[in-house]
Amino acid sequence: QVQLVESGGGSVQAGGSLRLSCVASGFTYTSYCMGWFRQAPGKEREGVANIDSDNYESYSDSVKGRFTISQDKAKNILYLQMNSLKPEDTAMYYCAAELREPSSGSWCYNPGRKSSNVPDAWGQGTLVTVSS
C-alpha cells in the first residue's frame, strides 16, 4: 500500500520561497505520475505541478515559471520548489500519485484543467501561508 507524507509547509512573506517534500513509501512502480495539488479555503482542489516516471513535467498556468517539480527516484521523494510566492498561493498542498502509466487525458498532463481521472493515492497535506 502506497503512503505519501508531505512536509516543508510554513509561513512566508510574499516574494519568498519554500520547498515541499513528499516521501512515498511502499512505492514500487516503474510507470507512474506524481504531483502536487492545492486547496485554498472555500475553493476547489486544483492541480499545480506533476512529473511522470520519464521526468516529463507539467505545470498549471498559475505557477508556471515560479514553481519547479522534481523527484529523487532512488529515495522515492517528490519535491516542489516554490519561488516568488504570492498571497494567492496560500493553501493546503497535497501530494498525489497515479500508480500506472498515465494517459494523455490524465490529471498528470493537465494540471489545473479538466482531466479524465483522479489520483490513486493522496497525502494528508502540508499548509503553506503567504502573507503580503
Side-chain angles (χ1 to χ4, degrees), residues 76-95:
N76 284 339
I77 302 176
L78 180 73
Y79 300 102
L80 185 67
Q81 178 66 44
M82 304 186 295
N83 298 329
S84 302
L85 282 161
K86 305 175 181 180
E88 51 263 44
D89 294 318
T90 294
M92 186 72 79
Y93 283 71
Y94 298 90
C95 178

Side-chain angles (χ1 to χ4, degrees), residues 4 8 14-15 34 49 69 75 98 110 116:
L4 306 175
M34 294 193 73
I69 192 169
K75 297 181 179 179
E98 181 167 355
N110 299 280
S116 59

